[in-house]
Amino acid sequence: MDGYFYAILIIGLVSTIMCIVAGLMKKAPNDPTIFSVLAVELMLLVYLVGSIVRVAMGEQMAGEAWEFWGYLIVALMIPLGAVYWAILERTRWSNFVLAAVGVTVLVMAARMNQIWY
């Protein structure tokens, strides 16, 4: 496991916990919950740039490159879709959609790590 995975682990779990607590408190999506999901997106962008640099420096993936890049592209779309949902539907249930982002991206990052190593 590399630093990117551990960063996504921490940020994703904190985001998920924040969003679940807000949903249980029957709050509509607010700045902290939306920004926590955007922090996950930012970390994924850092992962993207880091992966491009690693490939440019000649590092090889153990698995299929198309699979790794496919996971990363889809993982980058998930937080954006959830934030879009939360902005359109301002109910407490949107916080649970936002909460799913951290865990989903975490699982995808674990798989990307397996493909890389």
Side-chain angles (χ1 to χ4, degrees):
M1 299 289 172
D2 59 9
Y4 297 119
F5 173 77
Y6 290 114
I8 291 173
L9 172 71
I10 293 166
I11 294 169
L13 290 179
V14 167
S15 173
T16 296
I17 291 167
M18 286 177 61
C19 294
I20 287 174
V21 168
L24 292 174
M25 293 175 61
K26 299 183 180 184
K27 292 185 177 182
N30 52 20
D31 286 347
T33 57
I34 290 175
F35 286 141
S36 73
V37 172
L38 292 177
V40 173
E41 178 73 12
L42 180 62
M43 186 55 226
L44 286 169
L45 289 171
V46 170
Y47 196 173
L48 172 67
V49 171
S51 298
I52 292 170
V53 168
R54 289 164 68 179
V55 169
M57 298 296 285
E59 199 171 325
Q60 297 292 320
M61 291 180 209
E64 296 290 332
W66 65 267
E67 190 177 7
F68 175 84
W69 296 112
Y71 269 101
L72 188 52
I73 290 168
V74 171
L76 283 163
M77 290 188 296
I78 290 172
L80 298 177
V83 167
Y84 182 71
W85 177 311
I87 289 171
L88 289 180
E89 185 183 320
R90 306 285 298 172
T91 66
R92 80 183 196 120
W93 298 107
S94 293
N95 279 321
F96 295 112
V97 172
L98 292 173
V101 170
V103 176
T104 304
V105 169
L106 175 60
V107 170
M108 294 180 82
R111 179 65 184 130
M112 287 185 284
N113 219 350
Q114 289 174 341
I115 295 167
W116 192 281
Y117 295 108

